[in-house]
Amino acid sequence: METNKKSTTILADFVPFLVTFKKSWYLSIIVLSIIILFGFYAFIVQLVDGHIVTGMRDNVVWGVYIINFIFFLGLSYAGALISCIFHLGRVSWGKPLIRMLEIMAVASLIVGPIYIILCIGRVDRLFNLFIHARIQSPITWDVIAIFTDMVFCIAYLYMTHIKDFSKLRDWEDERIKPWRRKLYTVLSIGYQDTPQQKKQLNSALDIMAAIIIPTSIIAYSLLAWLFGMNLRPGWHSSILAPYFVLTAVYSGVCLLIIVMWVYRKSRYLKNYITNQHFNYLGFVMVMFALFYGYFTFSDYITEWYNSVKVNTSLLDKLFSFEGYAWMFIISIVTAAILPLIVIAVPRFRSINSITITAFFVLIGLWFRRYLLIVPPLETPYIPIQNSNLEWVNYSATWVEWTLTAAGIAFIILVYMLMSKLAPIIPISEIEERSKKIRVFYKGTKE
Amino acid sequence: MNSKEKDKSRRNFLRKGFAIGAGTIAGMGALSTFAGNEEKKSGEKVKLLTADGKLVEVDKTDIDCKTADCLPTHGKAARKGIPGRKFVMVIDLSKCANARKCIDACQHGHDLLPSQEWIPVHLMKNNSISDPYWFPKPCYHCDNPPCVKVCPVGATFKRTDNAVLIDSDRCIGCKFCISACPYSARRFNWENRDSYSDNDSDYSPETSLPGQHGVASKCDFCPDRSREGKLPYCAKSCPMGAIYFGDSNEDAITNGEETLRLRETLETKAGYRFMENLGTDPNVYYLPPVDRMFPYKRGLKNLSEEQLKAYENILSKTDK
């Protein structure tokens, strides 16, 4: 009975947020839609004129599109991974964050593959990936992995919503309009919170979470092997897959901090997203910063030490100020050093400083992906000898930047819409004391 | 217009009956007899027996093979390769003087843009002491091709006649093959062009014509020209005769002027394959740039300022 009372108060906190729409909300929706429409325009320009409108050329065949693809899929896998770890490990402080992470997982999983479509020369033949699929190709592995992950993540996102939908359906409040109530009725698929239903849904959630954790790690490793299978300096390395997974989870933590900061602006959520969250995640960030520094160092030290020519010429590009040294320094200083300073010194440690750090880390990790993709493509075994500089060095064009902005706008848009559909905090996860998973506590025989 | 179309208009002979002798001559058994003289009337007459028993005399250049074997194949058949053939190329680096005729002929024959060089000529320098040398680099048509491995749709494939070809009708343009090729042999059709056409019934992976936008392209070893008993554009057009093309089953290679034994040439002249250690097993061999016919600087003479800039990475290390 007491839990029921508590639940009513939590939902009472959220309903006003769900049903009121401010002018600023509409305005942001319009601005984001315009950015996305502008992205569509850029896409049409690319379709009509061909890929010549991008900065990609015969040497650097992959550019900002693939970088965004890696970046957004990394966020997606990280969101799925962290939320499932929170759920499965029954991490009580992490529960309010599960939905934010799940939305991150699904929104960026929709955006990521779009960049692959943009990068493909013949969008009209995309179906060839299915009718002529060759299992030997890492792209086919990736297609399978992304589709699998997409099914799991969308299913999991929906399943975590079911209890909240049923609560909203039963909620007595005249501000919830009839069409909305109807929508909740449909979406809650007859969930009545009977003990039987509860048990089924809970175990289904546990199973899904247990499946998604390895799936996301495998899927992101497969993405790394898209590059690792190529005979290129900087790519053909065994550390690539673990490195990818690490940077992915790292970037996911950073985006989570930023999302938390944004939602914390709303007064309904101050009680649920506390200083403690920022504190915990700040330390998680430190841990990842250390790992990131370690992985980066061990990746380059092995390539540098033996001075194989093609590796050396790649490192020369990364370390020269005519090449990528500035970007390299940014990617190291922001992602490997900045969190250590901000978190280690108590005076610097605040919600705002942690969020700003997370933002810079996110940018640093994007640059990290840039350095992973573009310089190796500019460093083939046979050094490029081309009179046209445009064909030697890559620089992205307005088409690519516009579509990047459109992708970011889409993710923000999804967050805005989803947080109006259901509370951004999973109410049922918080109010129910979830049962411990038996196998964890009684699994081992004496 | 390309020279293939010109050739077509001259195919006016042997419509009625099929000559007994034509098959054997045009059957590419002797590549050297044909190479280098198909543009003009040679004046050399060949006696042929027609199907109805008449003996006729025709100009050698008028003989065009009309059997199915001589026409480029389409669709599934194009993935198989010409039976009994194993094409190889041998490039004699001591003869290359960067005349760029191979590039021009290839671009003309395959309807390529100036930016698309299927056989770029690199300037190489092995170490600080040895002299730079010119290094034409076609597709190596590897026996273990990394590009074929990574293609998600099987648009690029290895044939029994050693050629690695691209089916432009199937290619989705993911560019994975371009990044997978360790030799940077592949190009991409970035632009939409008027001469490009999708799903053209004349299209064959052997001719790579007409091109299509948004797909990968590369040197195709000109198997369509081999079918007609001609050398690839590059080998035919090289004024120095640096590019030899042939068949390893026949153990013969030719540059149009001289025909050599493949095995013997590679054995005695220290033939090598570029970056053998990658395990790709190329079918293009190089003869080392020893006893050179020209100093490498001769290859710089005809280049524009722009083109010279491309070789800056080597030229900056050598005294000009």
Side-chain angles (χ1 to χ4, degrees), chain A residues 365-440:
Chain A
L365 289 175
W366 192 88
F367 281 134
R368 176 73 251 161
R369 269 58 171 262
Y370 193 96
L371 293 174
L372 259 171
I373 300 306
V374 176
L377 283 168
E378 287 178 357
T379 321
Y381 279 111
I382 304 175
I384 302 169
Q385 291 180 332
N386 199 315
S387 50
N388 194 345
L389 271 184
E390 197 199 326
W391 288 69
V392 179
N393 293 317
Y394 172 77
S395 66
T397 61
W398 71 270
V399 174
E400 287 159 287
W401 290 126
T402 307
L403 283 158
T404 307
I408 297 167
F410 178 81
I411 289 179
I412 300 172
L413 194 66
V414 170
Y415 262 111
M416 289 181 71
L417 294 174
M418 285 301 281
S419 58
K420 289 289 177 192
L421 179 69
I424 195 71
I425 304 292
I427 294 168
S428 30
E429 281 259 8
I430 292 178
E431 69 199 14
E432 272 176 35
R433 278 193 55 201
S434 40
K435 266 166 99 182
K436 287 182 173 168
I437 303 171
R438 252 186 82 222
V439 69
F440 279 171

Side-chain angles (χ1 to χ4, degrees), chain A residues 275-348:
Chain A
N275 295 11
Q276 194 54 46
H277 284 111
F278 286 89
N279 204 43
Y280 281 146
L281 289 173
F283 280 100
V284 172
M285 211 157 69
V286 167
M287 193 187 78
F288 276 110
L290 290 169
F291 268 116
Y292 170 78
Y294 167 61
F295 271 51
T296 310
F297 182 74
S298 56
D299 188 15
Y300 287 119
I301 189 76
T302 46
E303 291 199 9
W304 169 79
Y305 190 86
N306 296 95
S307 58
V308 173
K309 208 165 182 187
V310 71
N311 290 344
T312 325
S313 58
L314 173 67
L315 294 181
D316 284 348
K317 273 183 195 141
L318 290 178
F319 298 153
S320 95
F321 284 96
E322 282 162 17
Y324 295 95
W326 284 117
M327 207 183 269
F328 190 76
I329 290 168
I330 289 171
S331 80
I332 295 297
V333 169
T334 54
I337 298 169
L338 192 63
L340 306 186
I341 297 167
V342 171
I343 310 294
V345 183
R347 215 148 44 93
F348 294 158

Side-chain angles (χ1 to χ4, degrees), chain A residues 356-368:
Chain A
I356 291 166
T357 310
F359 181 71
F360 279 120
V361 172
L362 216 50
I363 290 173
L365 289 175
W366 192 88
F367 281 134
R368 176 73 251 161

